[in-house]
Every structure is written in structure tokens, then in C-alpha cells.
Amino acid sequence: MAAAGEPHGSLYDTIIVGAGIQGSFTAYHLAKRGKETLLLEQFPLPHSRGSSHGQSRIIRSAYPQEHYARMMAESYRLWERLEAEAGTQLYRQTGLLVLGPSADPEFQSCCRTLAQHRVPGQLFTSESLCRCFPGIRPYCGEVAVLDHTAGVLYADRALRAVQDGFRRCGGALRDGEKVTGITPGVVVTVTTSGGVYRAKTLVITAGPWANKLLAPLGLQLPLQTLRINVCYWQEKVPGAYGVSAHFPCLLAIRANQASHHIYGLPSNEYPGLVKICYHSGSPADPEERDRLPEASALPDIQILCDFVSKYLPGLGPQPALVEHCMYTNTPDEDFVLDRHPTFSNIIMGAGFSGHGFKLAPVVGKLLCELSLGEAPSYALEPFRICRFPAQPHSAL
Ligand SMILES: Cc1cc2nc3c(=O)[nH]c(=O)nc-3n(C[C@H](O)[C@H](O)[C@H](O)COP(=O)(O)OP(=O)(O)OC[C@H]3O[C@@H](n4cnc5c(N)ncnc54)[C@H](O)[C@@H]3O)c2cc1C
């Protein structure tokens, strides 16, 4: 167990529930600001049962939504700072190709936000794409834009680095301690499987478990938890789709009429295997993630098989390896960053769906600012819970 120090009789400034990437960054920012901070995690660390495990995540500025594109410049800077503090590589620049029909509004928005934020980019026709990236065959005549600054974050290493940074600043991390009760008040009391703790503010960053913690506090967010198949595909020629061969990350919009994005990362984490995944999955409770559905209930894998055989002919036609992870989606796939509508010193960060890792340094900063009662660095309107019908306004 990674517990630091003894159970604390006195009052913490903030307790954070959940040591995934969002809770860990929130804790890191608070501890850097000199706040007495306790980070609680139900499982012994490291673990692979939430959303932050695995070796790789994509980082990119190519976002169709302006509010995320705006946050990315600071996010890159904060990742760089963490990398320097940790003295280990957390990011590898590979570039990312957004592939899509040229007239698609989402594709056009990505091109627009890249230009607006002066991110180095490059447009490709179908023909120039095939010339520059012979491993990709744009099957339906799509075009592409390359976000040069994009790349791969080494996720497991990054999570460990931010938790180590938190502890170096004096923060206390207690893993293997499940939060079983929260009593709201001017001072919030948190009961775990290992003790009772008190704090002026509480931040809940519990990933797919968020609604289980919020239910006794009289709140249910419109979150959908999905089991995601993380698929790896064998290269026919070893290294052809690798980082050393300068193969970029990929984000395919409406490829082959798919309803959700398909994304890919060059081979690196498993030699000879390229990660290609569907940006959706099947509804599942996080406690039952590994109860496998019938093969017929795996339409995402069939969609990926079709995509790979048409667009990436240098890969084997079936996944060579499938791992699992959880998404927590809101109906509009925007995050929730807000206060509890009744208990203003309880703050929630949830619904980070399949794209929250890269933004975690900024999300953590915003949750830190909310818990300190400071004006947030970015407008929080897209993230407030009042955007959902039938959800009350937060207690401001
Ligand atoms: C397959 C996959 C691919 C992805 N790809 C990308 C990508 O390329 N780029 C990108 O930016 N993002 C990506 N994401 C999204 C990103 O990984 C998530 O948004 C992010 O990891 C969410 O972190 P979290 O801290 O909210 O949740 P989690 O990592 O799930 O952390 C929540 C933590 O809370 C703990 N907890 C819950 N209940 C309790 C309790 N009662 N007591 C104590 N602890 C509790 C859990 O055990 C868990 O550790 C991907 C996600 C997946 C699953």
C-alpha cells in the first residue's frame, strides 16, 4: 500500500476520491499550492480497472470543439513541466492524421481550430496521403490534415509521475482504501474501509464509479459507462507502422460510415502491434467489465476489422490482442466540472469519455481552482451540470 503518513486527526484542505489521472492531477496542483491534500484510491496502485491504465494515450490539438482546442496549449506546457520534474519521457511526438471526408463539418472544424491556434498542420489529398504514408489507403477518397504537435503520452508512466510529484509536494496518497461514506457539511467527513477523514472541500473524480458515490448525496449525472475493447493488430512487415518509421497517430472521422471515430497509435508498446480502436463500446458496470458479452454483441470489433482491411492493408485482418478499459460518457461527450448543486464544497469531475487523458493537467488545475473558490482559468459553461435537462444548477 502506498499510504504516506498516519491517519490524520486534523482537518485536510481537500480530500480527493479517485487516483486516476484526473484525481491525481487535481491532488498535484493542490499540493503544489501548499494545500494539505489527501488522495484516496479504492484499489492498491497501480491497477487496471478504471480508465487511466495502459501504456499509451493520444495527445493532440486537433479538436473540433474550440473549448478543448483552447486548453491544449496549456496542457502541453504542463505535461512538459511534469516531464522535467519527473526526469523521464512522458510524451513522444508522432503527429496525428485526422482523416475524413473533405466536406465533413467535424473535419472542417478540426482544420479551423488548428489554424486559429496556429498549430503547425498540413493538408493532404487522397493521392498525397498515399504517397507520404504508403501504409494508409484512404478507401473512400478521404482527405487528411496532419497535426504536427500531436503524439503519444506514456500513460502508466505519466500517472506514476503525477502521483510521485504529488507526494514530493507533501501530499498523502492512501490506496487500497475504498470510500464508503460521505457526510456533507461545512466540514466534509469521509469514511473509508481504513479510516475516517475530514476536509474543508471534497473532490470526486471516481471515473465510472462516479454515480455510485453521488447517489447517497442525492445526485445522479447522465453518465453512461462503456466497456471498451482495446485492439492491437499485427504488422505484416515488422516496424512498417512503427514510431521509428514515423507512422503517425490516426483519427478517422466517419470512415466506412462508422458512427463513431476510429483511432490508432503507431506500434511501440507491444513490438509489431498497432493499436486501432473504436471510440465506443457496450454499456457495462465497472464491477462487471470483464464479464464478456456474446461474440454477436461485439459490433465494434467487426467495424474495426472492416476498417483495417480496407484502410490499413499492412495489418493482419483480425486483432491479435484485445484488452479492456472503461469510458464514462455524458450525452454530449463534454466533461462535467462543477459543484454539487446542494453542497457547494463538494466538487465533481466526471464524464471524461475517451478523450480526457491529454487534458488532465488542465482539468486538475480547474478542479483545484474550484475547490479553492477561485475564478476558473477557463469558462466552465460547457462543463456545468445545468446543461443537462432535469439537472439542478450547481451551488455557486
Ligand atoms: C481505451 C481508452 C482509450 C483512451 N484513449 C485516450 C486518448 O487517446 N487520449 C486521451 O486524451 N484520452 C483517452 N482516453 C480517456 C482517458 O483515459 C480518460 O478520460 C481518463 O483516464 C479518465 O480518468 P479518471 O481519473 O476520470 O478515471 P479513472 O482512471 O477511472 O479513475 C477513477 C478512480 O477512482 C477510483 N474510485 C472509484 N470509486 C472509488 C471509491 N469509492 N473510493 C476510492 N476510490 C474510488 C477508481 O478505482 C479509479 O482509480 C481513453 C480511455 C480509454 C478507456
Side-chain angles (χ1 to χ4, degrees), residues 233-255:
W233 309 71
Q234 185 87 47
E235 292 170 316
K236 292 179 184 165
V237 176
Y241 291 82
V243 278
S244 309
H246 306 293
F247 193 77
C249 294
L250 267 184
L251 184 71
I253 300 174
R254 264 167 279 291

Side-chain angles (χ1 to χ4, degrees), residues 68-243:
Y68 294 120
R70 199 177 321 128
M71 291 172 169
M72 280 312 303
E74 183 172 16
S75 205
Y76 273 105
R77 281 198 301 277
L78 292 173
W79 280 115
E80 206 177 307
R81 182 176 82 175
L82 181 68
E83 208 171 29
E85 288 170 4
T88 185
Q89 187 183 8
L90 303 178
Y91 155 69
R92 176 152 185 179
Q93 188 174 356
T94 62
L96 168 128
L97 276 173
V98 182
L99 184 73
S102 59
D104 182 83
E106 200 178 341
F107 178 78
Q108 290 184 343
S109 298
C110 283
C111 296
R112 201 167 37 246
T113 53
L114 285 176
Q116 260 164 16
H117 294 274
R118 295 193 169 78
V119 178
Q122 188 179 350
L123 281 165
F124 292 89
T125 59
S126 280
E127 296 71 34
S128 59
L129 186 67
C130 291
R131 254 195 328 274
C132 293
F133 301 100
I136 304 176
R137 187 181 296 159
Y139 178 75
C140 294
E142 289 99 335
V143 295
V145 62
L146 182 70
D147 168 354
H148 275 287
T149 60
V152 177
L153 288 168
Y154 297 122
D156 283 341
R157 219 189 274 174
L159 185 61
R160 200 166 49 243
V162 72
Q163 291 168 353
D164 288 348
F166 166 64
R167 279 189 284 229
R168 272 198 308 275
C169 295
L173 197 169
R174 301 186 70 82
D175 63 344
E177 272 201 47
K178 180 173 179 163
V179 171
T180 53
I182 296 168
T183 311
V186 176
V187 166
V188 185
T189 304
V190 176
T191 307
T192 73
S193 48
V196 177
Y197 308 94
R198 296 176 327 123
K200 294 178 205 159
T201 59
L202 177 73
V203 179
I204 300 178
T205 44
W209 289 268
N211 269 337
K212 290 184 200 288
L213 280 152
L214 291 171
L217 299 171
L219 186 64
Q220 285 295 269
L221 298 172
L223 300 175
Q224 187 181 38
T225 55
L226 297 176
R227 169 186 184 277
I228 301 295
N229 292 311
V230 184
C231 300
Y232 294 84
W233 309 71
Q234 185 87 47
E235 292 170 316
K236 292 179 184 165
V237 176
Y241 291 82
V243 278

Side-chain angles (χ1 to χ4, degrees), residues 234-275:
Q234 185 87 47
E235 292 170 316
K236 292 179 184 165
V237 176
Y241 291 82
V243 278
S244 309
H246 306 293
F247 193 77
C249 294
L250 267 184
L251 184 71
I253 300 174
R254 264 167 279 291
N256 223 10
Q257 313 292 329
S259 321
H260 299 275
H261 295 163
I262 293 172
Y263 61 90
L265 289 83
S267 63
N268 190 41
E269 55 184 282
Y270 295 118
L273 297 185
V274 177
K275 184 168 161 180

Side-chain angles (χ1 to χ4, degrees), residues 43-44 46-54 209 289-290 324-326:
F43 300 125
H47 76 86
S48 57
R49 296 190 54 190
S51 303
S52 301
H53 61 281
W209 289 268
R289 184 196 68 183
D290 293 326
H324 302 117
C325 193
M326 294 296 298

